[in-house]
């Protein structure tokens, strides 16, 4: 059974930082394309960041560029999301996801944010940012 388990969520003041971590089973971690998504109450899930481990490229939603950084730790089998300068609008449940990469890297670059492209999902970790 494949598993993705998020951790690191919590409550912080605006301007603070959090580091989310997604622990991945060996099978799921073999999927080279992974992403972080978030879902606020009453809103649909949206892409936050993506990483193509094979190519080494990363992708970000415009709303988090310059503030969030996605990375991987192969030794610990985790994919992390460093979140700095947090804003109240960042409040959401954050999910990690994984999939086998498309045949070409540029296909992923143009579709990393699409929920339907991922076949493995974690249960989420809550992030709350207060003003």
């Amino acid at each position: 059974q494949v598993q993705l388990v998020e951790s690191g969520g919590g409550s912080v003041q605006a301007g603070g930082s959090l580091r989310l971590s997604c622990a991945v089973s060996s099978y799921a971690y073999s999927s080279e394309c992974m992403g972080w998504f978030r879902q606020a109450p009453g809103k649909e899930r949206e892409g936050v960041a993506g990483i193509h481990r094979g190519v080494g490229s990363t992708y970000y939603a415009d709303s988090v560029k310059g503030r969030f950084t996605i990375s991987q730790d192969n030794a610990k089998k985790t994919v992390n999301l460093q979140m700095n300068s947090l804003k109240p609008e960042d409040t959401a449940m954050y999910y990690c996801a994984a999939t086998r990469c498309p045949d070409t890297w540029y296909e992923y670059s143009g579709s990393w944010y699409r929920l339907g492209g991922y076949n493995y999902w974690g249960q989420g970790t809550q992030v709350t940012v207060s003003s």
Side-chain angles (χ1 to χ4, degrees):
Q1 182 179 7
V2 299
Q3 287 188 321
L4 303 178
V5 182
E6 302 94 335
S7 63
S11 181
V12 299
Q13 298 271 48
S17 299
L18 283 174
R19 182 174 181 270
L20 306 184
S21 181
C22 178
V24 191
S25 68
S26 295
Y27 182 83
Y29 201 66
S30 68
S31 300
E32 293 188 336
C33 288
M34 301 186 68
W36 281 96
F37 292 75
R38 66 186 181 187
Q39 186 169 20
K43 300 183 67 177
E44 294 191 6
R45 197 171 301 184
E46 63 178 355
V48 176
I51 182 169
H52 191 306
R53 295 170 51 232
V55 173
S57 57
T58 56
Y59 310 92
Y60 300 93
D62 288 341
S63 60
V64 306
K65 284 182 179 178
R67 300 188 298 122
F68 291 10
T69 302
I70 187 171
S71 62
Q72 63 177 311
D73 186 329
N74 289 328
K76 296 181 179 180
K77 292 186 174 62
T78 62
V79 173
N80 305 310
L81 184 69
Q82 178 66 46
M83 306 185 295
N84 299 325
S85 302
L86 284 164
K87 305 174 181 179
E89 49 263 45
D90 294 319
T91 295
M93 184 73 75
Y94 282 72
Y95 303 86
C96 64
T99 188
R100 180 178 179 180
C101 295
D103 290 338
T104 58
W105 69 267
Y106 52 84
E107 287 185 73
Y108 182 67
S109 71
S111 62
W112 68 267
Y113 54 87
R114 296 182 177 177
L115 278 65
Y118 296 86
N119 54 343
Y120 302 119
W121 291 87
Q123 293 301 304
T125 185
Q126 180 67 40
V127 171
T128 302
V129 185
S130 60
S131 60

